[in-house]
Amino acid sequence: MIPHLLSTRDLSRESAISLLDTAEDMAILGHRDNKKLPALRGKTIVNLFYEDSTRTRISFEVAQKRLSADVINFSAKGSSVSKGESFKDTILTLRELGVDGVVIRHPSSGAPQLLAERDWIDVPVVNAGDGTHEHPTQALLDAFTLRKNIHGADSRGRGLDGAHVIIVGDILHSRVARSNVWLLEHLGARVTVVAPVTLIPAGASRWPITISHDLDSALSQPVDAVMMLRVQSERMRDAYFPNAHEYSQGWGLTEERFAALSPQTLVMHPGPMNRGLEICSTAADSAQSVILQQVANGVFVRMSVLYSILTGTSEVPHE
Amino acid sequence: MSNSLLFRQATLPGGEQADVLVRDGLIAEIGTISSEASRVLDAAGLRILPGLVDLHTHLREPGFEASETILTGSQAAAAGGYTTVFPMANTSPVADNASVVELELSRGREAGYVQVQPIGAVTAGLAGTALADLKGMADSRARVRVFSDDGKCVHDPLVMRRALEYVSAFDGVIAQHAQEPRLTEQAQMNEGELASRLGLAGWPAIAEETIIARDVLIAESVGAALHICHLSTAGSVDVVRWAKQRGIRVTAEVTPHHLLLTEDLAESYDARFKVNPPLRTSEDVLAVRRGLADGTIDIVATDHAPHPSESKECEWDVAAFGMVGLESALSIVLLTMVETGELSWVDVERVMSRTPAQIGRLDWQGLSVGAPARLTLVDPGARQVFATEHLAGRSTNSPYLGRVLPGRIVYTAFEGYLTVDDGALVPAETVAGHALDYAMQRGVPRG
Ligand SMILES: [Zn+2]
């Protein structure tokens, strides 16, 4: 079992499938009346959030409570961090408090890796999003959602071999895109990324992806899922694209594009959405949108990750 | 025979063996020497060089004494075989007027390990707009000739042009930290696939190359002297090579770390490897080595940049840029340039002593009778695991800790007295005493 979850890039196919399979068990539990499992009773997990993200923090917190863990929420706001305490000093403090695991969200790329590799603290670390580096649980929940929709009840043990996923938008600043690129490749899917040239990371031609700047031609191929990324309007100021209208016309999932989309193609978005910019409401609220499934599956995947890493096993007891 | 040192059987840069006698602060004799000396040192197997000269040092005093002081930085320099350092102007207060550069000069003389030859700021407060007191610093006791806003680029082309013109009247040179600021906003490491994968904002090669290209053309048009700090990319080597072929008065430096280290080290997110300009690719490393070997790049300069541990033991994008380098510089040049056959010892003397002194407008007499006795004796065959005990400054942010490095500085002499003796730094009080004696003897003004 993996000691930490820092990235999907260094997650093997086998480990990824195991995490997804355990998430299936968690989903079954999630449909019972008593949703709780005593697996992490007596364990204290800190959610160390240096960046606001109510969605991700709540998803982790629900997962932790279903596993009966004790939860401490530490956010940069209102803590000593805003008074200038160093990252290292905060971690040393947590060590003395005796936590059993850390879920960390941080605006600095690499902060979870430092936490895991330095001798500051010796507990499992789960990356809940670091800078523009990775967001591995998001990619796992996306893969879980894809696998469920493609393979249905027959998902266990399987990857996404042969599936074609298109990721559209601000790849340059997206940790979700990076984690998805690596995980989808490990699971055997084919990935096309579509964005203006300015929003494609330098050197991405060496990644296991097809790069396109033309969304319509990308969508003219058979596509299992199209994943729309949030685009931030401040990017306009830095001359990445001219204006919201042009972005939406060129790279948004507009009414016209959605109308032309095969009804089999899943519509995904990691949230929160800018309706009308990168995605139209018709697409977001359509029957082929799995955006709300992504939210629900996020809890199962995070339960799986916490359970697997903190107990060191992937077997879930069925009492 | 008072105050005399005799180095027996040293190997000169050209390979000949000779005894070197030092008396009253000067080189008294070179050859086979029968006369006596107050101290005789066995230099068999040691290469003797004129004291090394670093054109790019950060001593942090005044203002950032937690990282380094003029004394501790001078000690780091002596430990690395240096006898002259040029401290950059980004102190607090900024060295943009005569009083700050004179303070640095005095403290350097009191410490007595090396010549501290201040660099003045180009613009007031390093703000990039109004010129600093350029002539005031040039006419001060510190006799400043090198001006730099290092740490920041003089990015306004009008200010750069005026500064080049203005200092040319008193044979000054502008040392440019070539970094186009708009192209490097938030930049964290070399732009490329690795930075994209690690999620660290890229510092593109063109941000350096476009400034160098612009400034060599400005220097040409006004006929002034331009020096390029810490050149780091293959493209920059090409631009400087073109400029030199055209006869433009441009010189360039490369740091030891850009001769050895590559961007891959960022993969650990260990901020010891965060530096500005960033570590580049192995192609860039090969290009700067070739540039140094063929003379396109004139000198090696350390960009010794001490930082306290809390500025490095943190998130990469929060960490300070820079690494210490005085103590390890000669070892890295041996490893990357001499052991690879790209430079001879005569070349080492040129790129680490003679030419940096000349770019800095210092009188350089090298290993000649009557010259000031500023000497470095290195054991090129020694190899050791580089560790914090090899660091003599106040900070430990070296990228080489744990690496096996060749070469060991056995003796450093400054104005005829030892600052490093049998591989160990001579204590501060002893050195300060020698410095005082020397000053009295020579009538060098104090304070
Ligand atoms: Zn610089």
Side-chain angles (χ1 to χ4, degrees), chain A residues 9 87-88 106-111 113-114 117-118 120 130 132-133 178 182 201-204 206-207 238, chain B residues 182 185 191-201 267-271 310 312-318:
Chain A
R9 191 167 193 273
F87 182 49
K88 181 181 174 182
H106 202 295
S108 298
S109 298
Q113 188 177 325
L114 283 185
E117 291 180 355
R118 294 300 169 95
W120 303 343
D130 63 326
T132 53
H133 176 225
R178 285 167 178 73
W182 311 126
R206 288 160 58 193
W207 292 358
D238 290 330
Chain B
R182 283 287 280 157
E185 282 175 14
E191 182 177 283
E193 191 277 329
L194 182 62
S196 298
R197 193 199 317 150
L198 296 177
L200 295 172
E267 230 163 334
S268 61
Y269 292 102
D270 183 340
E310 61 269 23
K312 288 293 190 179
E313 283 279 283
C314 61
E315 305 91 315
W316 180 282
D317 60 352
V318 172

Side-chain angles (χ1 to χ4, degrees), chain B residues 99-251:
Chain B
S99 63
V100 178
V101 293
E102 289 187 347
L103 172 98
E104 293 175 13
L105 182 77
S106 303
R107 297 222 170 132
R109 282 185 180 156
E110 280 160 32
Y113 282 90
V114 293
Q115 178 178 356
V116 173
Q117 177 56 50
I119 291 176
V122 177
T123 65
L126 305 178
T129 46
L131 294 181
D133 298 353
L134 302 171
K135 186 156 165 40
M137 291 187 279
D139 293 343
S140 75
R141 279 188 293 111
R143 296 178 35 78
V144 175
R145 290 294 179 274
V146 182
F147 299 89
S148 182
D149 276 1
D150 182 62
K152 290 183 175 173
C153 182
V154 181
H155 62 87
D156 181 330
L158 178 80
V159 173
M160 188 60 183
R161 177 196 167 160
R162 298 275 192 259
L164 282 163
E165 290 177 314
Y166 194 88
V167 303
S168 66
F170 39 85
D171 194 29
V173 57
I174 303 292
Q176 175 68 297
H177 168 116
Q179 176 180 6
E180 211 302 311
R182 283 287 280 157
L183 290 173
T184 50
E185 282 175 14
Q186 311 295 317
Q188 295 296 326
M189 68 169 289
N190 183 45
E191 182 177 283
E193 191 277 329
L194 182 62
S196 298
R197 193 199 317 150
L198 296 177
L200 295 172
W203 198 130
I206 50 156
E208 176 172 307
E209 294 154 4
T210 53
I211 291 292
I212 298 176
R214 180 197 78 173
D215 287 353
V216 295
L217 292 173
I218 296 175
E220 178 180 44
S221 75
V222 299
L226 169 71
H227 178 72
I228 304 298
C229 297
H230 43 52
L231 182 154
S232 70
T233 77
S236 296
V237 178
D238 289 341
V239 174
V240 171
R241 191 176 283 127
W242 173 86
K244 287 191 164 184
Q245 279 163 3
R246 217 171 138 90
I248 297 172
R249 293 175 64 200
V250 60
T251 52

Side-chain angles (χ1 to χ4, degrees), chain A residues 3 17 42 49 84 112 118 170 175 186 219 231 256 261 270 305-306:
Chain A
I17 288 176
F49 273 55
R118 294 300 169 95
D170 186 358
R175 53 194 171 206
H186 295 331
L219 288 174
V231 67
E256 298 72 39
L261 201 63
V305 167
L306 291 165

Side-chain angles (χ1 to χ4, degrees), chain B residues 228-388:
Chain B
I228 304 298
C229 297
H230 43 52
L231 182 154
S232 70
T233 77
S236 296
V237 178
D238 289 341
V239 174
V240 171
R241 191 176 283 127
W242 173 86
K244 287 191 164 184
Q245 279 163 3
R246 217 171 138 90
I248 297 172
R249 293 175 64 200
V250 60
T251 52
E253 75 192 28
V254 62
T255 67
H257 46 273
H258 289 113
L259 287 172
L260 178 66
L261 306 176
T262 55
E263 61 171 4
D264 318 37
L265 292 160
E267 230 163 334
S268 61
Y269 292 102
D270 183 340
R272 273 193 304 142
F273 303 112
K274 179 176 174 179
V275 66
N276 194 17
L279 301 179
R280 304 288 188 184
T281 66
S282 50
E283 292 78 44
D284 293 305
V285 166
L286 291 177
V288 295
R289 286 185 190 184
R290 212 171 307 123
L292 182 63
D294 71 17
T296 302
I297 297 173
D298 301 84
I299 65 167
V300 174
T302 67
D303 195 6
H304 178 82
H307 289 290
S309 64
E310 61 269 23
S311 299
K312 288 293 190 179
E313 283 279 283
C314 61
E315 305 91 315
W316 180 282
D317 60 352
V318 172
F321 287 99
M323 29 183 78
V324 295
L326 283 166
E327 300 96 329
S328 47
L330 183 59
S331 291
I332 303 306
V333 171
L334 291 185
L335 182 66
T336 59
M337 302 301 296
V338 177
E339 294 189 352
T340 54
E342 299 212 57
L343 288 187
S344 68
W345 282 96
V346 173
D347 295 325
V348 172
E349 170 187 284
R350 173 174 53 81
V351 303
M352 295 188 79
S353 180
R354 189 180 79 202
T355 309
Q358 288 168 346
I359 294 170
R361 311 298 190 251
L362 295 180
D363 178 36
W364 183 91
Q365 298 172 55
L367 293 178
S368 59
V369 173
R374 299 179 174 190
L375 306 170
T376 301
L377 286 97
V378 56
D379 176 1
R383 294 189 102 80
Q384 65 270 315
V385 177
F386 197 74
T388 49

